[in-house]
Amino acid sequence: MTETRDSARLSRRSFLRKGALGGSAAAATALAAPAVLAQAPLVMKMQTSWPASDIWMDFAKQYVDRVEAMSGGRLKIDLLPAGAVVAAFQVMDAVSDGVLDAAHSVSVYWYGKNKAASFFGTGPVFGGSSTTMLGWFYEGGGKELYEELTQQILGLNVYGMMGMPMPAQPFGWFKQEVNTVADLQGFKYRTVGLAADLLQGMGMSVAQLPGGEIVPAMERGVIDAFEFNNPSSDSRFGAQDVAKNYYLSSYHQASEAFEFLFNKDFMDDLEPDLQAILRHSVEASATSNLALAMREYSTDLQKLITDSGVTVRRTSKDILNGQIQAWDALIPELEKDAFSKKVMDSQRAWVEKVAYYELMNAPDLGLAYDHYFPGKLSL
């Protein structure tokens, strides 16, 4: 940490303690000052890992709206897209160093620091969904393991929380049909995190790229197939212009959630009610994000079919079985690291119990859908 950065952090902390939001002296001043001065907001700088046009910026804006409304204007958030201050994959460092107060991202984007980052969003799929794994984070010991990794092992100056549980990510976009594991051999493919290790194990050559770089990489031939996340994000950056075969369903990233990062010093210096607002707005935004995602993802999937001539298929069972086998080969390698094994042991215990309930209890929704909308599903 540089001396200049330390000075800036101390100055910021001093402002938070003594400024418009701080302790008893500020409260006394507020009583004597005009109302407009008493309401002067603290402006947070929050950057996402998403291009300005991505639907995930809309999700981040829903979080911002809730924080500002619940704080009564005491907190304002300057929401910035990827690249405004730092690159998409650099937000963890920027938040830890105090360059940013907060970030909206995914944990896999700091996978380069430690592969265990991927367990908090793109780890092995033992049979649980993203909702299952969000439950693990908050009620099954995941949050404590996340703090052990970020604060103790890596020495990062952050708090992290998980937001909206994402629908399972599609296998992605291909220029031709792929029906078997043999069809995938030699593909230059974009993904991130442990999914890169997984798919390399299936014979693909993998490049880890932010979303905004995917289509240019396809156009230049750097990659020839890719996944990002969902029909809305994919269509907004032009996936349909570079490939026409879109495969839904995959085990490579089936349990991810949005990651909210906060600089620890910044958060600790806030009044307790403002800390609570920042935390609980993550929970509130998960509901609003998921509702918006269901509307937009489904609408944009239909537009890809009807307006862009995209062929949508389910990923074949041969490829899905190949992914499970690739996880089987990868997990023992990951378990050589003691912390990674501890995380996976925790996840397996949670999934064995919770997903048993979920899967046994879940009705066959496909059967009901096919009854009322016959002939539409190709499962």
Side-chain angles (χ1 to χ4, degrees):
M1 187 74 68
T2 66
E3 219 173 273
T4 302
R5 186 172 287 159
D6 279 342
S7 299
R9 179 176 289 169
L10 289 170
S11 176
R12 181 65 177 250
R13 295 184 74 179
S14 176
F15 169 78
L16 287 169
R17 283 194 300 269
K18 300 175 183 176
L21 300 178
S24 58
T29 302
L31 291 174
V36 66
L37 294 179
Q39 294 301 315
L42 171 65
V43 179
M44 289 176 58
K45 185 178 290 185
M46 181 179 194
Q47 187 191 296
T48 76
S49 293
W50 328 125
S53 60
D54 197 294
I55 189 172
W56 288 357
M57 285 296 288
D58 300 335
F59 294 167
K61 181 63 164 56
Q62 288 185 319
Y63 174 77
V64 168
D65 291 344
R66 279 150 184 77
V67 168
E68 293 183 352
M70 286 191 275
S71 69
R74 293 161 64 203
L75 277 176
K76 293 289 184 183
I77 299 179
D78 183 15
L79 182 65
L80 304 166
V85 179
V86 296
F89 287 5
Q90 302 304 315
V91 294
M92 171 61 90
D93 283 335
V95 172
S96 180
D97 291 345
V99 176
L100 296 170
D101 300 315
H104 184 269
S105 189
V106 286
S107 64
V108 72
Y109 277 12
W110 49 277
Y111 161 89
K113 289 185 171 299
N114 190 304
K115 285 191 176 185
S118 204
F119 294 126
F120 300 92
T122 59
V125 179
F126 298 117
S129 67
S130 59
T131 304
T132 311
M133 300 317 295
L134 187 68
W136 168 77
F137 184 82
Y138 286 108
E139 297 292 340
K143 187 171 184 293
E144 292 75 18
L145 289 165
Y146 177 96
E147 289 175 355
E148 181 179 347
L149 175 61
T150 54
Q151 296 179 14
Q152 297 175 33
I153 295 174
L154 295 175
L156 296 166
N157 190 45
V158 299
Y159 291 121
M161 297 183 65
M162 297 298 158
M164 182 192 103
M166 298 179 186
Q169 296 179 32
F171 191 39
W173 296 84
F174 294 80
K175 293 181 179 180
Q176 67 255 24
E177 283 190 53
V178 288
N179 297 308
T180 68
V181 172
D183 293 338
L184 303 177
Q185 303 308 298
F187 269 104
K188 295 178 290 185
Y189 181 85
R190 179 273 176 194
T191 190
V192 290
L194 284 175
D197 301 58
L198 178 81
L199 296 173
Q200 283 173 180
M202 295 179 69
M204 303 175 91
S205 172
V206 177
Q208 302 203 40
L209 302 170
E213 297 180 19
I214 292 174
V215 167
M218 281 284 283
E219 291 171 337
R220 297 194 310 272
V222 175
I223 56 173
D224 47 32
F226 64 92
E227 63 80 34
F228 180 66
N229 189 275
N230 66 83
S232 297
S233 295
D234 294 358
S235 61
R236 288 193 188 192
F237 65 61
Q240 67 275 17
D241 298 329
V242 293
K244 294 296 184 183
N245 294 280
Y246 192 27
Y247 285 86
L248 305 185
S249 174
S250 183
Y251 290 128
H252 77 285
Q253 285 179 279
S255 57
E256 193 165 25
F258 286 118
E259 179 184 48
F260 287 78
L261 296 169
F262 302 95
N263 177 271
K264 190 172 181 293
D265 294 332
F266 174 84
M267 180 73 95
D268 288 345
D269 280 330
L270 290 176
E271 293 295 308
D273 66 321
L274 294 180
Q275 293 184 33
I277 287 168
L278 289 177
R279 288 196 307 269
H280 295 311
S281 290
V282 173
E283 299 165 359
S285 70
T287 300
S288 60
N289 286 176
L290 194 56
L292 180 59
M294 292 299 96
R295 187 186 77 189
E296 294 300 302
Y297 291 5
S298 60
T299 298
D300 288 331
L301 182 63
Q302 292 305 312
K303 288 180 180 177
L304 287 169
I305 296 168
T306 59
D307 298 350
S308 300
V310 171
T311 299
V312 174
R313 298 183 176 92
R314 291 268 293 181
T315 301
S316 72
K317 288 188 176 180
D318 185 81
I319 291 174
L320 292 175
N321 284 329
Q323 289 178 344
I324 292 175
Q325 291 168 16
W327 277 124
D328 285 347
L330 182 56
I331 287 169
E333 291 300 311
L334 296 171
E335 287 182 329
K336 292 177 181 178
D337 175 76
F339 179 77
S340 294
K341 185 177 188 306
K342 181 163 68 169
V343 175
M344 285 188 285
D345 285 345
S346 174
Q347 290 179 333
R348 277 184 288 237
W350 176 265
V351 171
E352 184 177 11
K353 178 182 69 172
V354 173
Y356 174 81
Y357 161 71
E358 291 179 312
L359 294 169
M360 287 294 287
N361 187 59
D364 186 342
L365 297 178
L367 181 66
Y369 184 95
D370 194 53
H371 174 78
Y372 289 104
F373 311 104
K376 297 195 73 171
L377 288 178
S378 298
L379 298 179

